[in-house]
Structure formats: C-alpha cells, structure tokens
Amino acid sequence: MVNTMCRHAFIRPHNQVHSRAQAVNEQEENHNYLLNIKFSCFVSKRMWSTIWPVLISCLLLISLNALGEESGYCSTLTEHTKDLSNNNLTRIPSHLSNSIEYFDVSHNNIASIVHGDLSGLTHLCFLKVTHCGLQYISLDAFSSNSEMKILNLSYNQLTVIPNLHLPQLRMLDLSSNPYPSYALPGSFGNLSYLSILAIGSTDASSVNVDDFVPLQNISLKKLIFGDGTELQNYENGSFSQLKSLWGVVLKVTFCQHFDIFSNMIMDFDQTQTKKIQLVKLFPDQCTIRTDPFMAFKDLRVLSNLSIVDTWINSSVMVKLFKNIWKSSFEETVFLNITYNEDSPDGFQLPKQNHTTNLRAFVLDGVHHHQYHYPTFNVSMELVNKLTYLKFSGTGMNILPCNLISAIKSLQLLDLSNNLLDESGFWWFGCSSHKVYPALRKLSLSHNRFNDLAEIAKNVNDMKFLESLDLSFNSISIDKPCFWPPHLIELSLSHNNLGNDIFRYLSPYFQKIDLSKTGISVIPLNISSLFPRLTYLYLSFNSIQVIPVDLRALMLLSLHIDQNAVTFISQKSMEGFPKLRTLKAGYNPFSCDCDSFWFLTAFNKSLLSDWPQDYTCSTPPSFSGMRFEMYEHAWLSCQPGLQAAVVLLVLFVVGTALAITVYSCDGIWYTKMLWVWMRMKRRGYKRADRLLNATFRYHAFISYSQHDSVWVGSQLVPELERSGLSLCVHERDFEPGMWIVDNIIHCVEDSYKSLFILSKHFVQSEWCNYELFFAQHRAISVNDDSLVFVLLEPIPPDSLPKKFLKLRTLLRRKTYLEWPADERKQRVFWCNLKAILQTVDQSKILKDVATDIAEMCPLVPVKE
C-alpha cells in the first residue's frame, strides 16, 4: 500500500499571499493573472518504486481491452480452459483434451517447445507461457495450432525472436526476453491479422530500419515497445513503416540520447498514431539540461500524450508544457508521477503568444518528497479552453476555486480519490454558479462526503450539471433532498444507504447507480418514483427477487448481478418492454422449473455477461454447473403442455377403448351389466318373499321369431299335452311392461329355461338377453335350470363374439338335438319331457326359493 498524507491545498495569486475570500475577489476582477497552486503531500518513495512494474505488466491487458473488436477472440468457459500454472512442470503435458482453447502454463520450468508438445490442441486459441525460463521454440512447434489468436511468451529467456506461422494470430507478447536485436523474422509478414504487438528486451540497444520491415503490410494497430532501458541507436524511419498504428506504449528510458526520443516521436507522428504513452520516461534523479520535447511543436497527428510512472523535475515540467501548448496534443495525462521542485520559483509558465489545442488535462497520482508546498504559476490563458480536468490522488482537501473558475469552458471535472468533504468543496469563498458556469459532469468519488441533503442543495447552483458521481464516500440520509431538475445522472455506489434511499432521489433522474448500497428490495412503485429512468445499476446488493409487478417502462439497462436472485421470471421481465441490456451474473440461480423460461426463451443477446457468469447454485447436485449446460426436464416444466399431453393421451386411449368396445360388442355387455345390477338389487329386496314363492311355469321358452312355426306347431302342443305349463313370450308377456322386465319375470317364474338354438337364434339380440338372464338366475340359485335344444347344427366356433358364453356352455353341457327321423323324435320328446317334469313340484319350488334367498356364491355349476 501507498501511505499518502496531504495536509491541505489552497490557491493564491502570483507573488502575493491572500485569504480565500480575497483570492476569489481578485479572480473576478482579472482572469489573466498567474496562480500559485500549493499542494503538500508526503509519500514513501520506496513504496512507489515497487508499483510501476506492476502497472507496466498490466498495459498489455489494457491494450487488449482497448480494441472493442478484439474482445471475445477466445473462449474462457470452464470446459475449454486449462490452467497448469505454478505446477513445477518441465515440459508441456501430453494427452490433453482436444477441446482446450485457453491454455496457461506460466510460472513453470519449461525450457523448450518443440513439435508434438501442442499437436493435440488443434483448437487452441490462447496460449500463455510466461516466467518459464523458455529458451527455444522449434520452427514447427505450433504447426498444429493454426487457430491460435493470442500468444504470450513474455518474461522468458528467448535469445532469438521465434519464427511464427500462425495465420490467425491477433495478439503477440514477446516482451522481457533477452534477444539482442529487434529484427523480426520474415514469417511475421504472414501474420495478416496481427493487431497488437508487445516487444522489448534489456539486451537490445538499437533499432534499425530493417527490423520492422516484415510488418510494413500488416495492419498493426497497437505497439508496446521497450523494456525500461535506454536505447543507444535508432535509425530514422524504423517506426514510420507501421502506417496503421493508432496507439503506442513506449517503455524506453531517456536521460542522454534525447535525439533518439525526438526521432521516434516524429516517426510515430507520420503514422496514424493518435495516442502515445511514455512509461518511466526519465530515470530517477536524472539531470536534464536540454529540452527533450522540442519535437512536440512540430507534431501534426499525435493528439493524446500520457506520461506514466516517471520522476520529473519542475524545470523539465516547464519545458514539457511549453512544447505541449505549441503541439497538436489535445489531451495530456500524468499517471503516478513523482514531482521534484529543482528550481527556486517552482513551476513557472507565463502567458504564451499562441493558441493551444489542449482540451483535457489529467493528473492522477502526484507525489513528492519535499517538506514544503510546491509552487505552480500558470497563466490562465493557457488553460481556459479545457473541457475536461482531472485532479485525482493529489490529497486535495480544499477546492482550488480560482483555478477552476478561470476555465469557463470546463464541462467534465473529476476530483476523485482526494480528501474533500462538503466544507472543503463548497467553502464560503467558492460560489458554485460562478465556478462552474458550463460544468456537466462532476466526479467526487473516493472522498469524504457524507450529507446527501447538503449536497443536493448545493448542486442546485450548478445550472448545467447533468451527472454527479458520489461513489465510495460515507453518504448518510436523514433529511429530505431537493435535487435540481437538470441533474439526470447520479451514482451513489459503495455507500451504506439501505432500502430507504429511493425516497431521497429525484423523479428527474434517468440514470441511477446504487451498486453495493445495502439494498434488499426493489420498490414496486419505481415507475412512479422515476418515470424517466433508463439506466438502473443495482449490483452487489442483497436483492432476492425481481418483483413480477415491477414496472419501468423506459428502462433500457438493468444491472442486478452479484445479488441473491435465484430465478428470473417471464412476468418480471414483462415490466421492462424497452430493455436492451441486462446484467444478472454471479447470482445463486436455482436450476429447476423456476428458471425454465429464462434458460429457454429469454433473449440471451440482452445479457452482457452471458454465459460465463451464470452458474447453478441449487439443488446441490447441480451446484457449480454452468447455467447453459443444465439439462432441464422440458415437459415437466410446462403445466399447460402437460395438460395438453394428458388430454391427448386420454383421448387416444378413450378412442382406442371405444373402438375395442364397439368391435367386441362392449355396448351390449355394458347394458347387460346394468341390467344384472338391477336384477341383483331386486334379488336382495325379494329374498324374503321368495322363501314362500311357487313357480308358475315348468319352462320359459326362448327362441327366434324365425323358428316360431316349429315352436308353435310342434314344441308347445306336444309339451302342453303332457300337462307341462309353458311360458311363451308371444302369449304370456304382460302387455305394457318393458320387454326386459317381462324376460326377467318369466325367467324367475319358470323352473327351467328352454332355449331353441338355431342359426337365427344366435343372430337375435333378444335371444341373447334371455340367455344372459337365465344363466344369471341359474348361477344365483345354484341349480341346473338351462335346457338347450339344437334345432339345426351350429358349429361352436362360428358363434358371434357376444355369444362366447353360449359357446362355453355348449362345450360343457349336454344338449338335445332335434332329429329328422320320426322314430328318433319320439325319444327326443320323452327326454325333454322328463327334464321338465318334477316329482314334487311344491317341494322343488320351495327349495329353489330357499336357494335364492340364501344367495349362494356365484360359482359355475359343475356337471
């Protein structure tokens, strides 16, 4: 950590000491005076000396992200990633999965990469081999890796820049290797897609024109050159060959050969380079007597200058700005610089007789080691055209109103990472409406502000302020806040505010950042609270659910990542009809039916962090699984579809059953079942009466109408002449009674049931009814009351399905056949009469009645 102590900061006119109020009054009278800005900061030099290598090592990653079109080259999904860093490997392992796209073997002891080491990784896209002591790479080492797009070989022991035959390569880092020359192999001319190159060696002290010739026809966009050492020789035109360059990071130190520095700068200006970053430009305690920046005044293309992690004296700073104001630079950035005042008058920059292009000035991290305030005397004419000003990490605790008020065109002011609070920013001599006449965006992040109501009151004086950043402060809410209608963006992230914060915000806000503010519930009336809300950031909170009744009709972007949301429902998303961006990763999603719609139907193009930030949390069996890999039960999560399927299955089964029943005379059997139940019920009711009942008939005759001639002419006369009482339906059925009831009564009132079987009988529906009821009665009373007379031959196998029982009866029971021979007919009549006659009719009738009353078990009669 860096321990910074800043006592205070104040402003006074040149060569005079005034109070704050006097300074403000003089500023109003004359805007062309010189100002003396004093800062007092004491920093540990040792600590800062350890930071710059870390910053430099991050430059490549920053560069990769700077190119929007370069992002997303390689998959970082878990199943396509293999990290074997810090494993004490001496060579790349074999038998690796062919699906690996991202492979890291950094911080091992791999001295060489030869053919076969990576042959199995045919889909390899990203390879990182850093801090491995790598000394040798064979010509065919990457012959099987034609899809590689990013290769990092930095911080190794390569003494020769390797030949690379990687047609898809986009980004290459060869920095921090001890090769003695920057001469690129001819194979680099085939790297057609190369857009970012990092190259630097402590052993290479010169740059020749031929070194970068292979890249003449390559559309290289960004170059990171050098390794923190000073060059001894540079041939003019070496870098001007790279015509497509738009950004350069120069990690070369200069203390003596400033002509090399000038030549390099002029070469970059001849390309398309707009931005140049100078890292550790001067070594510590370097004595500079000449003007190293004279070439700046001749620049025409370069527009952005950044000086990073550099020790710089006040005398050199004066030379720098004199040339900056004459140059094409529109933005100047100082990042983590150490300032040393080596002249008695400090930084003196009087009025210049020319216009300046400078529109943005950034001072982010200024440190010095002298025990007095450094002095900056600057003519206001040199800064009055600035539109963007940043003083960050300076230890400021009092706003320099005189300086800022002189910049009438200032639109963006960043005072983050300082020691400001309400009393130091809005102090009594600092009038907001005069100091910020055109200010639109103000950042007060990482300061010491705490009273939100006081802040809201004061920003009313900033008539054009649209955006305010109060993140990383100590904001508290205890009084109503009255915000100006022109303020439409507010960031309160990383303040402990709670759910009540929504009541203290303005209905005019269009963009609100409440990330990590202790919110657990989103108010349902957010649409009425903020009718113009288009951007809402609620990351890093404790929100468990997006309410289904939530409505934000104008919302375009919602960030709700890093919360406690377990699922996102369709109804909750219906409240955001204009949503274009949703960020909801790193939530404990439940992989079940609650997430079914989000997983299958939600438009994933709206998710800026899909799929890498979405994993299952519950149930435990799926914990850690990537959300998109979850194989859900598709049918089980759709109740409507389930009902449709069930109804369809029931319909199909019902239809099949109906067809089966119809083809098997199921309707008839159903009717018979119903009638049987009626008979059963009647049997119970008449049980007592049957004990004393007598039979009216010896036999009930069942026959087909087609056989009525034989029955009427032969059967009935013959039997009745023998004294037998017969029941014939044409004669004995009771008029007006239902036919089925007549059949039942006649069967029950008859001792025997005589069936005249013929081909016509088995085709008769009513004959079938009569057979059914008679059989049921025979089973119920446990007797042998069925008598069959076969009038003509009927093959049993030819009987219809509904006469299946008759087929069984004919196989099991003996039946009488009507013979054609007259002599045999006499025998037929004798047998039939014997079956129908009884010795003691009353006794038999009583026995039968007793059997019916006792309801014997329904078992078939055994012969």
Side-chain angles (χ1 to χ4, degrees), residues 607-852:
L607 300 174
S608 59
D609 50 352
W610 177 269
Q612 64 274 10
D613 296 345
Y614 293 79
T615 57
C616 299
S617 180
T618 57
S621 57
F622 294 110
S623 181
M625 177 188 293
R626 194 154 49 86
F627 206 25
E628 68 171 357
M629 300 300 294
Y630 168 60
E631 296 181 357
H632 51 275
W634 183 71
L635 182 60
S636 64
C637 293
Q638 300 189 75
L641 187 58
Q642 288 182 29
V645 170
V646 170
L647 291 176
L648 179 61
V649 171
L650 290 176
F651 175 78
V652 172
V653 172
T655 302
L657 184 61
I659 294 173
T660 303
V661 169
Y662 180 80
S663 61
C664 296
D665 293 310
I667 297 176
W668 183 85
Y669 284 111
T670 303
K671 292 179 180 179
M672 292 299 99
L673 177 63
W674 181 78
V675 174
W676 176 83
M677 293 174 64
R678 289 184 67 234
M679 289 182 58
K680 199 74 174 175
R681 186 166 176 269
R682 286 180 55 186
Y684 283 120
K685 290 182 178 180
R686 299 179 59 190
D688 294 334
R689 287 186 297 158
L690 290 176
L691 290 173
N692 300 316
T694 59
F695 294 113
R696 294 174 57 189
Y697 308 106
H698 285 87
F700 167 70
I701 303 175
S702 175
Y703 60 93
S704 170
Q705 190 66 29
H706 294 283
D707 302 322
S708 60
V709 174
W710 182 83
V711 171
S713 62
Q714 296 194 50
L715 178 66
V716 172
E718 182 69 25
L719 294 180
E720 287 186 342
R721 280 197 298 269
S722 302
L724 297 176
S725 177
L726 303 176
C727 179
V728 181
H729 70 269
E730 293 178 346
R731 183 184 65 189
D732 300 315
F733 273 12
E734 184 177 343
M737 183 180 291
W738 187 33
I739 296 177
V740 172
D741 286 340
N742 267 314
I743 295 173
I744 293 174
H745 288 150
C746 289
V747 169
E748 290 178 345
D749 290 345
S750 301
Y751 176 56
K752 297 286 185 179
S753 294
L754 179 61
F755 294 93
I756 310 303
L757 303 182
S758 67
K759 295 179 181 178
H760 299 296
F761 181 92
V762 297
Q763 299 298 328
S764 173
E765 189 78 17
W766 291 111
C767 291
N768 195 20
Y769 285 143
E770 294 167 352
L771 176 62
F772 174 81
F773 296 136
Q775 183 189 7
H776 167 72
R777 180 249 184 168
I779 296 174
S780 299
V781 297
N782 196 21
D783 68 353
D784 189 12
S785 61
L786 302 181
V787 179
F788 297 101
V789 174
L790 191 62
L791 192 60
E792 58 183 352
I794 304 175
D797 294 336
S798 65
L799 295 175
K801 293 182 180 179
K802 58 185 177 182
F803 282 90
L804 293 177
K805 193 64 179 177
L806 177 60
R807 182 187 305 173
T808 303
L809 291 172
L810 292 177
R811 287 173 180 168
R812 294 175 55 192
K813 289 182 176 291
T814 301
Y815 52 87
L816 299 175
E817 292 189 46
W818 172 250
D821 188 349
E822 292 184 2
R823 290 177 298 177
K824 293 181 179 180
Q825 290 178 359
R826 295 177 183 177
V827 176
F828 168 81
W829 292 120
C830 292
N831 289 335
L832 181 59
K833 293 175 182 178
I835 293 173
L836 298 178
Q837 287 178 343
T838 59
V839 177
D840 188 353
Q841 182 176 350
S842 62
K843 180 178 182 302
I844 294 175
L845 296 179
K846 185 174 181 181
D847 291 341
V848 171
T850 302
D851 291 339
I852 295 175

Side-chain angles (χ1 to χ4, degrees), residues 184-243:
L184 299 178
S187 60
F188 274 54
N190 297 321
L191 304 180
S192 304
Y193 295 99
L194 187 64
S195 59
I196 297 179
L197 173 63
I199 185 170
S201 171
T202 55
D203 292 356
S205 59
S206 64
V207 178
N208 300 318
V209 173
D210 296 336
D211 291 348
F212 291 91
V213 167
L215 298 180
Q216 280 183 335
N217 299 318
I218 303 299
S219 298
L220 190 68
K221 300 298 182 183
K222 191 151 192 174
L223 175 66
I224 303 172
F225 179 81
D227 201 27
T229 57
E230 188 167 6
L231 289 177
Q232 301 300 318
N233 182 56
Y234 176 82
E235 286 191 29
N236 292 347
S238 296
F239 287 136
S240 62
Q241 305 172 87
L242 310 177
K243 297 298 183 181

Side-chain angles (χ1 to χ4, degrees), residues 533-587:
L533 187 64
T534 55
Y535 297 87
L536 180 60
Y537 303 138
L538 299 173
S539 307
F540 297 95
N541 281 295
S542 304
I543 299 170
Q544 297 183 1
V545 66
I546 303 176
V548 296
D549 297 329
L550 187 63
R551 296 290 181 270
L553 304 182
M554 302 300 294
L555 195 67
L556 298 177
S557 181
L558 174 64
H559 288 195
I560 199 166
D561 54 305
Q562 298 278 6
N563 275 273
V565 177
T566 57
F567 68 94
I568 298 176
S569 67
Q570 181 178 5
K571 290 185 178 180
S572 63
M573 289 294 100
E574 289 175 351
F576 315 124
K578 294 186 177 181
L579 193 67
R580 296 294 177 268
T581 304
L582 175 64
K583 189 176 182 181
Y586 294 109
N587 275 294

Side-chain angles (χ1 to χ4, degrees), residues 346-467:
F347 182 84
Q348 300 287 331
L349 192 62
K351 179 180 178 180
Q352 306 291 312
N353 295 323
H354 54 77
T355 58
T356 179
N357 294 311
L358 195 64
R359 296 294 180 269
F361 180 75
V362 175
L363 198 61
D364 192 350
V366 182
H367 320 280
H368 68 92
H369 309 283
Q370 295 167 307
Y371 290 90
H372 64 84
Y373 300 128
T375 303
F376 290 81
N377 298 317
V378 183
S379 171
M380 289 299 97
E381 288 186 346
L382 301 178
V383 296
N384 60 8
K385 292 185 179 180
L386 291 178
T387 58
Y388 174 51
L389 178 63
K390 179 177 181 179
F391 285 136
S392 179
T394 63
M396 181 188 300
N397 60 359
I398 297 177
L399 182 70
C401 286
N402 290 356
L403 169 64
I404 297 177
S405 62
I407 311 174
K408 300 297 184 182
S409 59
L410 189 63
Q411 297 183 20
L412 288 83
L413 177 60
D414 187 346
L415 300 176
S416 59
N417 195 22
N418 284 298
L419 304 175
L420 291 168
D421 57 14
E422 289 84 357
S423 62
F425 189 81
W426 287 286
W427 52 284
F428 66 91
C430 192
S431 176
S432 295
H433 69 280
K434 294 180 179 180
V435 176
Y436 313 107
L439 191 65
R440 295 186 179 276
K441 293 188 177 182
L442 174 62
S443 175
L444 300 175
S445 175
H446 290 87
N447 276 282
R448 298 180 177 181
F449 293 91
N450 58 69
D451 192 340
L452 190 62
E454 182 68 17
I455 295 172
K457 174 185 174 182
N458 287 316
V459 297
N460 276 274
D461 293 333
M462 301 178 183
K463 301 302 181 182
F464 296 96
L465 188 66
E466 298 176 351
S467 177

Side-chain angles (χ1 to χ4, degrees), residues 508-526:
Y508 299 101
F509 286 159
Q510 298 179 19
K511 185 176 182 179
I512 303 175
D513 188 352
L514 295 175
S515 300
K516 203 170 185 178
T517 52
I519 294 174
S520 59
V521 177
I522 306 176
L524 294 178
N525 61 338
I526 195 169

Side-chain angles (χ1 to χ4, degrees), residues 304-335:
N304 186 302
L305 172 66
S306 298
I307 298 179
V308 180
D309 199 58
T310 297
W311 176 289
I312 188 167
N313 294 325
S314 58
S315 58
V316 177
M317 183 75 82
V318 171
K319 296 173 183 178
L320 172 62
F321 273 95
K322 282 183 178 180
N323 289 284
I324 286 178
W325 264 293
K326 298 176 184 179
S327 71
S328 59
F329 287 122
E330 298 177 1
E331 180 177 352
T332 301
V333 177
F334 292 92
L335 176 62

Side-chain angles (χ1 to χ4, degrees), residues 1-2 46-63 107 128 131 154-155 173 175-176 224 227-228 249 251 277 279-280 308-309 335-336:
M1 291 183 61
V2 179
R46 180 187 303 174
M47 291 182 179
W48 277 107
S49 65
T50 62
I51 291 178
W52 78 267
V54 178
L55 294 175
I56 294 176
S57 65
C58 295
L59 289 177
L60 179 60
L61 294 177
I62 296 173
S63 301
H107 295 278
K128 183 179 180 182
H131 300 88
S154 60
Y155 297 95
D173 189 354
S175 60
S176 299
I224 303 172
D227 201 27
V249 177
K251 301 195 297 184
Q277 188 175 79
V279 180
K280 201 169 180 61
V308 180
D309 199 58
L335 176 62
N336 187 31

